[in-house]
Amino acid sequence: GAVVSQHPSWVICKSGTSVKIECRSLDFQATTMFWYRQFPKQSLMLMATSNEGSKATYEQGVEKDKFLINHASLTLSTLTVTSAHPEDSSFYICTGRVVLQETQYFGPGTRLLVL
Amino acid sequence: DAKTTQPPSMDCAEGRAANLPCNHSTISGNEYVYWYRQIHSQGPQYIIHGLKNKETNEMASLIITEDRKSSTLILPHATLRDTAVYYCIVRSQGGKLIFGQGTELSVKP
């Protein structure tokens, strides 16, 4: 299957700082990328849908000014958690959808800990 | 997209077939059934998807009932590495993957 990478794989930051997470599709072009968040012992929650070259669409209850998403190319999407707080500590996972196909491939996830 | 119902947990003996059920009674005609799994602390892994009848690949088989209201994922010879949370998701073409609680499968020696 297609490969999606995320960087960094884990990050620890102080409360109030901003953190950027990169999501790259390594061997395919993803016109659409999705960002999920997962708290311990819970399922994945969809945060937003990102289409290359256009603004992201956020799910209800997700603050678009706090979670900035940029999808500048067919192989790269970034999620920036602005002014992070301890409650933003979570496992963030991205996924890319292959052009003309329906299967989505997930990245390995980024674990964020805000102190 | 239609909701799915899965048992919260299941056990399976190593080497035996693991049969994971999923109910999706409100599925509509253009919706596919997808299965993903998530091994602890990793991103979800695509397993298989189908529209009707049976699909098979190198990982698993997916059997969808004739009325499409339920399906079963079959891992033919479960190994300890198949221990994971398995998610059954119904999605229309171009739709989003919305995860439910899934089934936690424990493969035991």
Side-chain angles (χ1 to χ4, degrees):
Chain A
V3 180
V4 175
S5 72
Q6 285 184 237
H7 178 81
S9 56
W10 59 270
V11 57
I12 302 173
C13 70
K14 291 183 179 179
S15 186
T17 61
S18 294
V19 174
K20 180 185 281 189
I21 302 169
E22 289 187 350
C23 175
R24 291 181 186 272
S25 54
L26 298 185
D27 53 1
F28 68 98
Q29 293 184 324
T31 51
T32 306
M33 286 184 169
F34 302 83
W35 286 93
Y36 291 79
R37 178 167 58 178
Q38 185 176 34
F39 294 108
K41 305 275 187 196
Q42 294 186 25
S43 187
L44 286 80
M45 186 192 80
L46 179 64
M47 297 175 68
T49 302
S50 158
N51 290 298
E52 186 260 339
S54 61
K55 286 184 179 179
T57 303
Y58 292 82
E59 296 297 305
Q60 194 170 12
V62 177
E63 300 173 58
K64 63 179 181 181
D65 294 329
K66 181 166 185 64
F67 299 100
L68 301 179
I69 293 172
N70 183 279
H71 191 165
S73 76
L74 287 173
T75 59
L76 174 64
S77 177
T78 60
L79 167 68
T80 301
V81 183
T82 62
S83 186
H85 287 96
E87 57 266 30
D88 299 322
S89 298
S90 188
F91 191 47
Y92 292 88
I93 310 166
C94 71
T95 171
R97 180 180 286 166
V98 182
V99 175
L100 299 181
Q101 293 185 27
E102 285 296 311
T103 306
Q104 287 177 214
Y105 297 94
F106 285 79
T110 296
R111 198 161 297 280
L112 170 64
L113 176 61
V114 184
L115 302 177
Chain B
D1 294 323
K3 279 193 67 175
T4 62
T5 303
Q6 300 177 251
S9 63
M10 290 182 64
D11 289 342
C12 177
E14 189 179 19
R16 305 296 289 265
N19 296 280
L20 291 91
C22 179
N23 285 322
H24 30 79
S25 58
T26 60
I27 192 169
S28 57
N30 65 342
E31 289 180 320
Y32 287 76
V33 180
Y34 283 78
W35 283 83
Y36 282 79
R37 72 180 182 184
Q38 186 178 27
I39 296 169
H40 183 63
S41 295
Q42 297 182 24
Q45 178 189 22
Y46 166 78
I47 301 173
I48 199 167
H49 76 282
L51 185 63
K52 58 183 178 180
N53 300 327
K54 183 177 181 179
E55 297 288 343
T56 298
N57 62 19
E58 64 278 4
M59 286 183 70
S61 293
L62 170 61
I63 297 177
I64 302 172
T65 57
E66 194 169 341
D67 63 8
R68 302 209 325 122
K69 292 183 186 296
S70 65
S71 60
T72 302
L73 177 75
I74 302 171
L75 307 178
H77 305 285
T79 70
L80 298 179
R81 283 183 287 187
D82 292 322
T83 292
V85 179
Y86 287 76
Y87 296 98
C88 167
I89 303 167
V90 169
R91 196 192 82 177
S92 58
Q93 202 165 14
K96 307 170 194 175
L97 284 176
I98 304 299
F99 286 77
Q101 295 307 307
T103 295
E104 189 166 1
L105 175 68
S106 296
V107 181
K108 300 183 184 296

